[in-house]
Amino acid sequence: MKLWLDTANIEEIREIDRWGVLAGVTTNPSLAAKEGVEFEALIKEIAAEVDGPVSAEVVSGRRESMVEEGLKLSQIAPNVVVKVPVVPEGFAAVRDLAGRGVNTNMTLCFSPAQAILAAQAGATYVSPFLGRVDDISNDGIGLLSEIVEIYRVQGYRTLVLAASLRHPQHVVDSAKAGADVATMPCAVFRALVKHPLTDNGLRRFMEDWESYQASLGHPAARGGDRA
Ligand code: G3P
């Protein structure tokens, strides 16, 4: 399962990219709006920063205009993936875009039936929104598992992108369920690495190392740059 960031903020992307594990980025109109800069310039900057797919969403409502907008977005950079909602015009637009070799991500998926339609339309990715399903007291991971199972049984090639993840357990459960990609906000990415036993263990190792070096009359030679 690949790990992607769900953000349009370039500083967050740079921060996580330094970890060496970032494989892509998803954006949406709400995330782009927070940045307050021109959308195409923003996507261009993100696509240049990330070594992997970058989802950019269309905002048109009709098949023809979605396709036109999608083609324009896809020309910003080769790693741009055109995000399209799971609505009737959207399936048709994805079919057209796929026929022109454009990678697509069908978004706002809340049911296995919508995921079947996305696969039939030829989407590259489908994005079930787990957190929003949990928000209404339904089972987000259950939805993801059903989609993964259907795609396996049917041999669909569309990749399952677990989205709207709210905490590390969502990421772990998505991996267990067989998601191809998990996209998450920066706060969830930062939370993935946190464990008090790691922090305590590291502190003790450093203290012991420093005592050891001091007992030998050496200045601390290694580990001096550890936070
Ligand atoms: O990738 C989908 C995501 O942007 C939605 O997340 O937290 O707004 O439900 P959220």
Side-chain angles (χ1 to χ4, degrees):
M1 185 179 79
K2 304 246 191 268
L3 303 177
W4 293 10
L5 254 184
D6 191 34
T7 185
N9 183 277
I10 200 77
E11 292 310 323
E12 290 184 348
I13 292 167
R14 287 185 180 138
E15 175 190 331
I16 302 301
D17 202 24
R18 283 195 287 273
W19 297 14
V21 297
L22 184 64
V25 166
T26 45
T27 68
N28 63 36
S30 308
L31 293 170
K34 284 194 209 162
E35 301 307 311
V37 294
E38 286 299 332
F39 183 58
E40 287 182 19
L42 181 65
I43 295 300
K44 190 170 182 182
E45 189 180 17
I46 295 172
E49 197 71 35
V50 177
D51 186 15
V54 174
S55 284
E57 190 158 341
V58 299
V59 290
S60 308
R62 308 288 305 189
R63 172 187 191 155
E64 297 74 18
S65 39
M66 281 179 176
V67 171
E68 194 182 326
E69 206 189 329
L71 287 173
K72 215 167 142 199
L73 290 172
S74 74
Q75 279 156 15
I76 294 175
N79 54 338
V80 168
V81 172
V82 178
K83 215 170 173 187
V84 179
V86 288
V87 295
E89 301 273 338
F91 299 122
V94 161
R95 165 66 56 206
D96 288 353
L97 288 165
R100 296 173 194 228
V102 174
N103 287 326
T104 54
N105 172 4
M106 294 216 78
T107 188
L108 289 167
C109 175
F110 292 97
S111 76
Q114 290 173 329
I116 290 170
L117 288 163
Q120 294 289 354
T124 316
Y125 301 92
V126 67
S127 292
F129 276 26
L130 312 192
R132 293 193 194 184
V133 169
D134 288 354
D135 288 346
I136 57 160
S137 300
N138 281 334
D139 178 9
I141 291 293
L143 167 65
L144 174 71
S145 305
E146 264 193 278
I147 295 171
V148 169
E149 175 65 0
I150 290 166
Y151 278 23
R152 187 189 65 74
V153 168
Q154 294 295 328
Y156 289 143
R157 294 174 63 185
T158 299
L159 299 169
V160 183
L161 197 171
S164 183
L165 304 184
R166 301 278 161 75
H167 45 71
Q169 195 58 43
H170 265 157
V171 180
V172 172
D173 289 342
S174 295
K176 282 160 78 176
D180 297 290
V181 183
T183 190
M184 68 206 83
C186 196
V188 175
F189 228 117
R190 290 185 190 123
L192 288 183
V193 75
K194 283 285 164 205
H195 199 291
L197 293 179
T198 304
D199 297 342
N200 290 345
L202 200 51
R203 194 176 319 111
R204 267 186 48 198
F205 282 158
M206 287 304 93
E207 285 166 3
D208 291 346
W209 178 261
E210 279 161 24
S211 306
Y212 165 45
Q213 292 302 301
S215 73
L216 298 174
H218 298 159
R222 289 199 297 140
D225 60 348
R226 278 201 176 152

